[in-house]
Amino acid sequence: MADAYELLINADLPDDLSEAEVNELRWHLGLGPEPPECTIVTEFPGEFVDEDGNPTDYAPGAAGSWVEVKVPALARRGPAWRIGGVLFAALERREYDQPRPGWALTCRQEIHPDDFERTTACVEWLQSRVSEPQFDLDVYWRFHEDPYLEPTFLDEGGLVTRQTVITAPSPEVLRLIADGKSREAVVQARKDTDLSIKQARSYVEALRAGRVVLR
């Protein structure tokens, strides 16, 4: 796990989660048995097994078959290997006599890039189930060599840290974004700064989505 990342999630889920959703979520957090059907994460890695059902290395023409291996996404426990501290996950009921009844979730996990797909699917599901994502879901992320956790959001490429910038965007960039002219805004952002084309696209997308933090 040389490319280890720290992931911290805090979520306040509504009271209308079904029993099946709660049970599946508990499994992903390492708090319960595997559910009969998985709907939060729908794709899992596969492994090759021989005719007796034992995992083995695949070889062309070998007798056996590929099987899906269901692995919970946020269930690691104990001392972290690279990020320091302890890994954990908790899901607690907030009862009706408490403000905003529902489910409170917190977990801290050490994630390898091979696990990004399952982790992203879980975060995407949480984002879809909380009542107000901007208030009820906090996700923080860092590479193990980075000193600080950064606020994180989901885009088309998966988990991405928020853009932190020193100089505020120019009025022209903001006007182009407001007019829906993202391509032109990218060109203008490159004129205003020394960003590469890839950085400028990411910057404009972050501005468009309100995900820029001014420093």
Side-chain angles (χ1 to χ4, degrees):
M1 195 182 283
D3 293 333
Y5 290 77
E6 178 180 357
L7 175 69
L8 177 66
I9 301 174
N10 291 317
D12 288 302
L13 293 150
D15 194 47
D16 63 356
L17 294 187
S18 68
E19 182 179 357
E21 287 177 314
V22 172
N23 289 340
E24 184 177 356
L25 185 56
R26 287 179 59 83
W27 174 68
H28 275 296
L29 297 171
L31 301 171
E34 180 183 319
E37 180 182 8
C38 290
T39 59
I40 296 175
V41 177
T42 57
E43 296 184 5
F44 294 91
E47 67 179 8
F48 191 74
V49 299
D50 60 25
E51 293 177 302
D52 296 323
N54 298 315
T56 185
D57 292 334
Y58 172 74
S65 61
W66 287 95
V67 297
E68 188 177 60
V69 181
K70 291 184 177 179
V71 180
L74 303 168
R76 291 186 175 89
R77 296 290 193 280
W81 186 61
R82 297 298 296 272
I83 66 173
V86 175
L87 309 179
F88 65 89
L91 181 68
E92 297 291 340
R93 176 74 179 159
R94 184 178 285 116
E95 299 296 347
Y96 289 101
D97 60 349
Q98 298 176 324
R100 303 180 67 212
W103 298 90
L105 179 155
T106 295
C107 69
R108 180 179 188 258
Q109 296 287 296
E110 188 170 54
I111 306 296
H112 185 272
D114 291 346
D115 302 323
F116 282 0
E117 192 170 333
R118 292 197 306 278
T119 303
T120 299
C122 274
V123 173
E124 187 173 16
W125 182 85
L126 289 170
Q127 185 171 278
S128 72
R129 291 301 280 117
V130 296
S131 299
E132 298 181 85
Q134 66 270 36
F135 299 116
D136 297 337
L137 179 63
D138 294 317
V139 182
Y140 300 91
W141 181 259
R142 73 174 177 95
F143 183 57
H144 73 92
E145 293 181 347
D146 294 337
Y148 305 113
L149 285 165
E150 296 283 355
T152 302
F153 66 93
L154 277 173
D155 72 359
E156 294 179 356
L159 292 169
V160 179
T161 56
R162 294 176 186 262
Q163 296 278 347
T164 300
V165 297
I166 296 175
T167 304
S170 68
E172 181 65 15
V173 168
L174 293 177
R175 184 187 66 78
L176 290 168
I177 291 173
D179 292 341
K181 298 179 179 179
S182 294
R183 183 177 298 178
E184 291 84 348
V186 170
V187 173
Q188 184 63 46
R190 295 195 70 199
K191 291 179 180 178
D192 296 340
T193 66
D194 59 355
L195 295 175
S196 68
I197 183 66
K198 182 178 180 180
Q199 291 171 326
R201 286 172 178 165
S202 177
Y203 175 64
V204 167
E205 174 58 26
L207 284 169
R208 190 188 64 79
R211 293 166 178 153
V212 162
V213 178
L214 292 178
R215 181 170 56 192

